[in-house]
């Protein structure tokens, strides 16, 4: 029988520091609300900077022994944690639905990709020692070794709270690091406390896993600017990411950042329009558009523009919007009022600037209709900003050259898509788009354990997944050994 419960009615009122379930240092709590109903269903600690300090101190104290633990034993605990997720997948999906507004398909998908984060971590190994002869000195050889960075701070967002914690959490642990997780205040359970319960259940040593809940405005700076962590993993907006990077760099910690996006979907003149529109609808409306790698702009050749808009509207109007606990619903609520108001303001400003509202544009509480805007340009508010909602501005272009120019006319470079009738043409366009990830003849909401995930330009630094994540979690050390006595010209 499970030691812990992983349901809405479970106990979530304590954070996890040094193997203990504790209140915040001042006893304060904060509400966790269901965005579909705005009802409070749990209260969690409102952590303080003192709590962050204690968590980092515990992680630092535990790390040497954890690093000395054979990697096979570290893997056993991570594999046991994976087993707990598998056993409680349905309950965890329910938590994602109620806490984060995830419709059933998205919730199942997030649990699945979180499990793949653990599976990928189990495949990781620390590179074997590399021994090579000196290039200059007789009787000397070099030993190149890799060591865990030490303590990893993880600051995760609310849109994919579990996965965007586990993709750093699981590999960090396998590779010998200890962790402190600070989940988003909207999703403190699925982004952090859930992982703490799992770690406690499978028996990670005290201090290896720590979770502090609280508002970013209260403890975010301390999390990112603390002197203990050597890597700070952050997923969120570019504006906040710049602050995180600056704070981390103040202590020469590595900022691993996945930041904002303004994903283009280029549709060529020879594209299969129905196929392209289906991919476009998935790319813009999955999880209410609250995805960093969603399609933010549809950039469509004039020869197929009208048909593409028509079909995109049909797909938008076919989607069921409502309570995400209903299995027939494809789109749930926006996470909060400020996010809703901002995206609706972008829509209003875009229409005022000359675009046509083809469908949507209204909200019932936090439920925003899937919205399509034709006649948009790259300068309009819904196009040039990361709207982070179910909003699809469609921009008309006259050539592939213009499409690439429009696609790249943004400070972001996270994810993109190309819909082309000829795959070679699609690949050639993909090569010219300034984004860390480009998907040809598919939507861009993709994240696989055997492919590098990350962005260019102001969309981030570093890569997650596969062997690429090791660059953020291991340090390289050079040890040289002089086997024979040397003559030193300096002393001659």
């Amino acid at each position: 029988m499970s030691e812990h419960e992983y349901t809405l009615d479970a106990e979530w009122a304590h954070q996890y520091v040094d193997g203990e379930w504790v209140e915040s240092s001042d006893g304060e709590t904060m509400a966790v609300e269901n965005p579909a109903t705005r009802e409070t269903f749990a209260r969690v600690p409102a952590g303080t900077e003192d709590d962050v300090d204690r968590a980092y101190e515990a992680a630092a104290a535990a790390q040497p022994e954890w690093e000395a633990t054979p990697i096979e034993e570290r893997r056993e605990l991570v594999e046991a944690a994976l087993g707990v997720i598998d056993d409680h997948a349905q309950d965890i999906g329910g938590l994602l639905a109620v806490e984060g507004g995830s419709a059933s398909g998205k919730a199942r998908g997030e649990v699945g990709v979180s499990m793949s984060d653990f599976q990928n971590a189990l495949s990781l190994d620390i590179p074997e020692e590399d021994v090579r002869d000196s290039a200059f000195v007789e009787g000397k050889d070099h030993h190149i070794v890799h060591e865990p960075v030490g303590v990893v701070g993880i600051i995760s967002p609310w849109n994919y709270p579990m996965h965007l914690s586990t993709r750093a959490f699981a590999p960090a642990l396998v590779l010998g690091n200890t962790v402190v997780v600070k989940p988003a205040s909207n999703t403190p359970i699925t982004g952090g406390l859930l992982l703490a319960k799992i770690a406690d259940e499978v028996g990670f040593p005290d201090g290896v896993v720590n979770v502090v809940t609280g508002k970013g405005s209260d403890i975010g700076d301390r999390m990112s600017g603390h002197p203990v962590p050597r890597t700070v993993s952050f997923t969120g907006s570019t504006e906040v990411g710049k602050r995180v990077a600056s704070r981390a760099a103040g202590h020469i910690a590595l900022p691993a950042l996945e930041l904002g996006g303004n994903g283009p979907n280029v549709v060529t003149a020879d594209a299969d329009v129905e196929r392209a529109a289906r991919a476009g609808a998935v790319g813009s409306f999955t999880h209410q558009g609250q995805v960093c790698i969603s399609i933010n702009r549809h950039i469509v050749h004039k020869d197929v523009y009208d048909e593409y808009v028509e079909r995109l509207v049909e797909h938008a109007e076919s989607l069921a919007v409502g309570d995400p606990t209903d299995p027939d619903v494809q789109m749930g609520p926006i996470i909060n009022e400020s996010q809703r108001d901002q995206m609706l303001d972008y829509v209003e400003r875009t229409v005022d600037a000359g675009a046509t509202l083809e469908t949507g544009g209204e909200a019932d509480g936090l439920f925003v209709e899937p919205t399509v805007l034709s006649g948009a340009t790259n300068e309009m508010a819904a196009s040039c900003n990361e709207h982070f909602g179910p909003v699809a501005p469609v921009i008309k272009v006259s050539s592939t050259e213009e499409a690439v120019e429009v696609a790249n006319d943004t400070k972001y470079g996270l994810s993109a898509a190309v819909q082309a009738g000829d795959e070679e043409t699609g690949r050639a366009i993909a090569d010219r788009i300034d984004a860390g990830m480009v998907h040809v003849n598919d939507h861009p909401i993709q994240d696989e354990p055997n492919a590098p995930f990350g962005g260019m330009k102001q969309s981030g630094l570093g890569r997650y997944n596969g062997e690429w994540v090791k660059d953020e979690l291991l340090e390289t050390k050079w040890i040289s050994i002089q086997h024979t006595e040397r003559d030193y010209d300096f002393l001659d």
Side-chain angles (χ1 to χ4, degrees), residues 20-193:
E20 299 289 338
W21 293 99
V22 297
E23 296 180 345
S24 65
S25 62
D26 61 6
E28 294 296 315
T29 64
M30 61 184 189
V32 186
E33 296 182 346
N34 177 345
T37 64
R38 306 312 282 155
E39 294 176 354
T40 295
F41 70 91
R43 298 196 70 86
V44 301
T48 67
E49 291 190 351
D50 287 342
D51 296 320
V52 173
D53 290 345
R54 282 195 286 271
Y56 273 131
E57 289 163 6
Q63 196 277 326
E65 186 173 348
W66 180 242
E67 179 181 353
T69 301
I71 192 169
E72 294 79 12
E73 295 181 23
R74 299 199 298 262
R75 285 199 190 101
E76 287 177 2
L77 286 169
V78 171
E79 187 170 19
L82 172 60
V84 174
I85 297 172
D86 193 18
D87 290 343
H88 296 276
Q90 186 171 351
D91 286 340
I92 294 170
L95 284 170
L96 287 165
V98 173
E99 185 180 43
S102 298
S104 57
K106 184 267 184 183
R108 287 194 304 272
E110 182 168 0
V111 174
V113 75
S114 298
M115 291 175 66
S116 77
D117 292 331
F118 281 81
Q119 291 160 347
N120 177 66
L122 292 171
S123 72
L124 298 179
D125 209 340
I126 295 177
E128 293 184 3
E129 184 173 321
D130 180 11
V131 182
R132 56 187 66 183
D133 293 335
S134 169
F136 302 117
V137 180
E138 292 289 336
K140 176 187 288 293
D141 55 33
H142 305 311
H143 299 250
I144 314 303
V145 298
H146 296 81
E147 299 177 349
V149 296
V151 177
V152 177
I154 301 171
I155 306 172
S156 59
W158 48 260
N159 58 331
Y160 277 75
M162 184 179 184
H163 164 53
L164 298 180
S165 292
T166 57
R167 67 177 180 178
F169 177 91
L173 294 173
V174 166
L175 294 173
N177 302 284
T178 55
V179 298
V180 177
V181 181
K182 189 272 176 209
S185 56
N186 291 107
T187 51
I189 294 172
T190 50
L193 295 177

Side-chain angles (χ1 to χ4, degrees), residues 192-341:
L193 295 177
L194 170 70
L195 298 177
K197 280 194 176 184
I198 293 169
D200 190 47
E201 178 165 329
V202 303
F204 278 89
D206 294 350
V208 171
V209 172
N210 305 273
V211 175
V212 178
T213 56
K215 296 180 180 178
S217 56
D218 293 334
I219 62 174
D221 278 354
R222 191 58 176 165
M223 269 294 300
S224 58
H226 199 279
V228 164
R230 295 292 299 142
T231 293
V232 176
S233 171
F234 171 81
T235 306
S237 71
T238 295
E239 180 183 1
V240 177
K242 289 178 179 179
R243 183 175 180 88
V244 169
S246 176
R247 298 279 299 176
H251 293 285
I252 320 299
L254 175 69
L257 309 173
E258 190 229 306
L259 306 178
N262 188 356
N265 180 43
V266 173
V267 182
T268 65
D270 66 345
D272 180 326
V273 178
E274 171 55 21
R275 179 180 174 183
R278 285 176 61 83
V282 174
S284 275
F285 304 132
T286 293
H287 195 38
Q288 302 79 262
Q290 299 175 125
V291 191
C292 296
I293 52 177
S294 68
I295 295 172
N296 205 98
R297 298 167 294 150
H298 298 252
I299 303 169
V300 183
H301 193 278
K302 63 181 182 179
D303 291 353
V304 295
Y305 184 87
D306 290 342
E307 182 182 1
Y308 183 87
V309 170
E310 180 181 350
R311 298 200 178 194
L312 187 62
V313 168
E314 290 173 356
H315 290 307
E317 292 178 344
S318 75
L319 296 170
V321 181
D323 190 326
T325 60
D326 182 341
D328 294 326
V329 162
Q330 287 100 16
M331 288 179 52
I334 300 303
I335 193 67
N336 58 39
E337 286 80 4
S338 64
Q339 290 287 131
R340 177 203 61 195
D341 293 347

